[in-house]
Amino acid sequence: QVKLVESGGGLVQPGGSLRLSCAASGFTLDYYHMSWFRQAPGKEREGVSCISRSEISTVYLDSVKGRFTISREKGKNMVYLEMTDLKPEDTAVYYCAADRSPWVVTCDLRPGRYETWGQGTQVSVSS
């Protein structure tokens, strides 16, 4: 069974940090572009960051540039999102997603590209 499971969310004060993890089972992430999306209450899902299959390219939402870092650990079939200097507007459910697209070498933040999604992990930033 193909599955993505996120973890690492929680409640943190403004300015704090969290590290989200995404574990894959049933398939090998080496062949996939990976991304993180988020959805806040009453808002549309938005792309936060992605990393290409070969790690040649990474993309970040403008509002998280310089604060979030995406990475992947191929030997462990894991993808991470390191989040620092968190702000209340970062509060959302965060999802990881995988895109097989063998004919494309870069990633992007269009949700339609991603065919496998996790269930999400809640991140709340509040004092």
Side-chain angles (χ1 to χ4, degrees), residues 3-125:
K3 195 175 181 182
L4 292 172
V5 179
E6 304 92 337
S7 62
L11 174 63
V12 64
Q13 292 186 341
S17 299
L18 283 173
R19 187 195 198 201
L20 303 184
S21 299
C22 174
S25 60
F27 67 111
T28 302
L29 291 184
D30 293 9
Y31 305 109
Y32 289 77
H33 306 295
M34 297 299 298
S35 68
W36 287 93
F37 287 78
R38 67 186 181 188
Q39 188 165 21
K43 295 188 177 181
E44 291 187 356
R45 188 172 296 190
E46 66 177 352
V48 175
S49 182
C50 69
I51 184 167
S52 64
R53 176 173 43 246
S54 63
E55 301 183 49
I56 287 178
S57 70
T58 55
V59 177
Y60 292 93
L61 182 68
D62 283 347
S63 63
V64 308
K65 285 180 181 177
R67 301 189 296 122
F68 290 12
T69 303
I70 191 170
S71 62
R72 59 195 306 161
E73 192 169 10
K74 292 186 175 182
K76 292 190 175 181
N77 223 24
M78 298 283 292
V79 176
Y80 305 99
L81 185 68
E82 191 78 38
M83 306 186 296
T84 63
D85 190 23
L86 283 161
K87 305 177 186 300
E89 52 264 40
D90 295 318
T91 295
V93 177
Y94 283 70
Y95 302 87
C96 68
D99 163 34
R100 182 68 174 87
S101 295
W103 56 88
V104 178
V105 298
T106 59
C107 66
D108 63 49
L109 297 179
R110 291 175 293 167
R113 273 191 59 171
Y114 297 86
E115 65 268 15
T116 303
W117 292 78
Q119 292 300 305
T121 185
Q122 176 69 48
V123 171
S124 299
V125 185

